[in-house]
Amino acid sequence: MKNYDIKDSSLASAGRQRIEWASREMPVIKIIRERFAKEKPLKGIRISGCLHITTETANLALTLKEGGADIVLCASNPLSTQDDVAAALVEYGIPVNAIRGEDDETYYKHINTALDNKPQLTVDDGADLVATLHTKRADLIAEVIGGTEETTTGVVRLRSLERAGGLRYPIIAVNDAQTKYLFDNRYGTGQSTIDGITRATNFLWAGKKVVICGYGWCGHGIALRAKGLGSQVIVTEVKPVRALEAVMDGYQVMPIIEAARVGDIFITVTGDINVIDKAHLQVMKDGAILANSGHFNVEINIPALESLARSERQIRPLVDEYTLKDSRRLYLLAEGRLVNLAAAEGHPASVMDMSFANQALCLEYMVKNRGSLEIKVHPVPEEIDKQVARLKLQSMSINIDTLTPEQKQYLTSWEQGT
Ligand SMILES: NC(=O)c1ccc[n+]([C@@H]2O[C@H](COP(=O)([O-])OP(=O)(O)OC[C@H]3O[C@@H](n4cnc5c(N)ncnc54)[C@H](O)[C@@H]3O)[C@@H](O)[C@H]2O)c1
C-alpha cells in the first residue's frame, strides 16, 4: 500500500535543488550526517516525524535515514508544506504525507498514515502527532522508545500532559536547548516573520506602528528586526519582567486594547488564544493588518473577525480583506497561520542547522539510553547543547578562549574576595 501522499511528484527535481541549496548552510547537520552514515546509530529504528515540510526538514530527514532510520513524515501545519520538497523526499525514499493547503481532515489523516509506521521514535512540532498517538492510537505506544518536540507550544502541551499524568513515554524538549531557542526562535522567527509579511503585502516597515503581542524569544527577534527597519515598535505582554525588558529595550509597552487603536500592523507570537479579540478588532484603524507567527491559528480571534465582517475577499494571495459593518477594512494574512512559513520559507537554513542538529543528536541519545529514561519531558542534555554550539562556531571558523587552570580554580572557589 502507498504510504505517502503528496501534491505532484513532477516537482521533485525543483525540490532536490532547493534541498541542496539549504544544505550549504547546514554544516553542523553535514558533520552529523557523515558520522551517522558510518556509525548507523539509528539502524532499523522506525521514526514518525510531524514537521514543517521544508528544505531544512528534508536535510534532517536525510540525515536520520543515513543513520539507518526508517522514517515517514507528515506536516505539522496545513499551510507550511513545500510541495516540491515533499516530492523530492519521496524520490529519496522517504515517504511524506503532506499537501500544502490540506484541510483539517486530511491533515489528521496524514498524521495517522505517519503513525502507521509504528514509530519507535516520534519527532513532533506542536505535539499534534504525540496527542493523536496518546488519544487515538494508544495501541502503538508500547513500542515507542521516546520522542522529541521542536517548539514552545508543543513543549507547553507536553508538560501539561505530563502534569495530568497522561504522558506515556519520555520526550526531549528540543525547543528548550539554548542552541535552539536563542537562535531559531529569536533570529529565525525574527527574520522570517518580517520576510513573510513583506512577501505577502509589500509592506513598508519604516515609520509604521508595529504591534508585537508577546515578548518571548520570538517576540524579541521580530521586535529587533522591525526596529531595524525603522518601525515604531509597540509590545504587549502579560508577564511583568518581560514587559519591563521590552521597555528597557526601547519599545513602547501598553495593553492590547490601547495598542489596537494605534497599530498599523499586529503580529501575535504568544502561543496563547484570542490575544487579539473581538473588542480589539472593533477599535482598530481602517487598513490595519493582522498576522500571526505563533504555532496555532488561535491567537487572532478569526470567528470574531468573521462575525464583524460585512464581506470578505482575497485581495492578494494570502491576504484576506474583511470589510466590517462600519466600513473599516482589516487584512488577515495567511488565514492567521504561521506567517513566516505560509508566506515565506520559514527559518533560514543556517539557524535550522542548530535546531535540527539538536534533534538528530537527541534522537541518537534516546536510542542509546532506551529503557533507562524516566517518563517525563526532559531537557536537552547539556553536552549536546554545548556540542552543537562548538560545531557551529567551528563551521564559522570562530575560535574562543579556554579557561586557564588558575581561572578554573578561581571560578570554583570562595576564599578570594576583596
Ligand atoms: N513561526 C515560527 O516559525 C515559530 C518558531 C518558534 C516558535 N514558534 C511559536 O511561537 C510562539 C511563541 O514562542 P516563544 O518561544 O517566543 O514563547 P515564549 O514563551 O518565550 O513567549 C511567549 C510570550 O507571550 C506572552 N503572552 C502570553 N499570553 C499573552 C497575551 N495574552 N498577551 C501578550 N503576551 C502574552 C508570554 O508572557 C511570553 O512572554 C509559540 O507558539 C511557539 O511554538 C513559532
Side-chain angles (χ1 to χ4, degrees):
M1 203 179 72
K2 195 176 98 174
N3 59 352
Y4 68 87
D5 186 20
I6 56 172
K7 180 159 188 215
D8 179 358
S9 44
S10 73
L11 300 171
S13 97
R16 263 202 320 272
Q17 283 190 7
R18 292 182 55 245
I19 293 168
E20 189 186 322
W21 177 252
S23 74
R24 292 169 54 257
E25 287 273 272
M26 302 183 82
V28 181
I29 277 289
K30 182 164 179 264
I31 292 168
I32 296 171
R33 185 168 167 176
E34 285 164 1
R35 179 170 66 76
F36 274 21
K38 281 192 223 117
E39 299 175 6
K40 303 281 177 205
L42 303 175
K43 191 160 188 274
I45 297 284
R46 296 183 305 277
I47 301 181
S48 299
C50 181
L51 294 164
H52 299 296
I53 306 299
T54 63
T55 54
E56 295 79 20
T57 296
N59 279 288
L60 170 65
L62 290 166
T63 302
L64 302 178
K65 186 173 159 62
E66 203 80 73
D70 160 12
I71 176 163
V72 177
L73 290 174
C74 61
S76 57
N77 187 287
L79 256 192
S80 63
T81 299
Q82 298 171 5
D83 291 314
D84 56 347
V85 171
L89 279 170
V90 169
E91 250 192 31
Y92 281 125
I94 297 177
V96 177
N97 294 273
I99 297 173
R100 186 183 163 87
E102 62 197 13
D103 58 21
D104 282 5
E105 192 186 328
T106 314
Y107 175 78
Y108 277 103
K109 188 184 89 186
H110 284 157
I111 287 184
N112 273 297
T113 312
L115 286 173
D116 289 343
N117 196 35
K118 301 194 172 73
Q120 292 165 290
L121 291 174
T122 61
V123 186
D124 215 345
D125 184 337
D128 279 346
L129 181 125
V130 174
T132 306
L133 187 57
H134 276 72
T135 51
K136 310 233 160 60
R137 306 290 301 272
D139 55 305
L140 298 174
I141 290 183
E143 290 199 44
V144 181
I145 301 167
T148 53
E149 171 52 54
E150 171 74 9
T151 198
T152 318
T153 284
V155 173
V156 168
R157 291 180 79 192
L158 292 171
R159 290 227 165 89
S160 131
L161 179 63
E162 182 190 336
R163 272 198 309 278
L167 186 66
R168 303 264 309 270
Y169 60 88
I171 298 205
I172 297 183
V174 166
N175 179 73
D176 295 357
Q178 294 188 58
T179 46
K180 200 280 185 181
Y181 68 82
L182 288 177
F183 305 94
D184 171 315
N185 300 31
R186 184 163 40 169
Y187 302 116
T189 313
Q191 177 173 321
S192 60
T193 298
I194 301 283
D195 183 17
I197 294 169
T198 309
R199 288 195 207 190
T201 60
N202 200 20
F203 184 82
L204 178 73
W205 295 87
K208 296 286 175 37
K209 289 198 171 68
V210 176
V211 178
I212 297 169
C213 303
Y215 200 59
W217 291 108
C218 295
H220 276 71
I222 302 169
L224 191 63
R225 295 298 172 241
K227 183 181 180 179
L229 286 165
S231 304
Q232 296 172 44
V233 175
I234 298 170
V235 167
T236 74
E237 247 302 337
V238 292
K239 288 188 181 159
V241 174
R242 285 205 156 152
L244 192 57
E245 201 187 355
V247 174
M248 299 223 183
D249 285 345
Y251 307 122
Q252 271 187 282
V253 174
M254 61 183 78
I256 181 65
I257 190 67
E258 286 174 32
R261 295 176 204 279
V262 295
D264 296 305
I265 184 162
F266 297 81
I267 308 168
T268 52
V269 69
T270 66
D272 197 358
I273 192 167
N274 294 338
V275 176
I276 294 187
D277 215 341
K278 191 167 189 174
H280 315 130
L281 297 167
Q282 276 167 328
V283 297
M284 282 181 186
K285 294 194 295 198
D286 178 34
I289 295 174
L290 305 163
N292 168 53
S293 222
H295 190 77
F296 287 117
N297 62 338
V298 296
E299 303 209 12
I300 300 165
N301 188 342
I302 299 171
L305 180 59
E306 280 165 356
S307 75
L308 289 171
R310 170 174 87 204
S311 65
E312 182 191 334
R313 64 173 173 156
Q314 187 181 72
I315 189 157
R316 280 167 70 97
L318 298 165
V319 184
D320 290 330
E321 179 186 75
Y322 289 81
T323 303
L324 308 192
K325 288 165 192 151
D326 59 11
S327 297
R328 281 176 305 123
R329 289 153 304 171
L330 299 180
Y331 296 93
L332 177 67
L333 306 191
E335 300 164 22
R337 298 198 187 271
L338 303 147
V339 71
N340 62 329
L341 280 139
E345 293 170 67
H347 295 175
S350 177
V351 87
M352 293 315 291
D353 189 29
M354 288 190 279
S355 308
F356 285 167
N358 276 293
Q359 284 283 5
L361 297 176
C362 286
L363 291 166
E364 179 186 32
Y365 175 88
M366 291 233 121
V367 172
K368 273 193 187 145
N369 292 282
R370 69 197 291 173
S372 66
L373 292 175
E374 204 185 322
I375 298 180
K376 63 173 200 171
V377 179
H378 293 259
V380 170
E382 199 185 332
E383 192 34 54
I384 291 183
D385 211 350
K386 280 192 190 154
Q387 189 187 348
V388 173
R390 268 195 300 270
L391 291 174
K392 192 68 176 176
L393 284 168
Q394 193 185 313
S395 76
M396 298 161 111
S397 305
I398 292 172
N399 296 315
I400 59 168
D401 294 318
T402 46
L403 293 171
T404 63
E406 182 196 24
Q407 289 168 340
K408 263 193 197 157
Q409 153 72 21
Y410 178 80
L411 290 172
T412 50
S413 65
W414 61 271
E415 291 90 349
Q416 214 173 310
T418 313

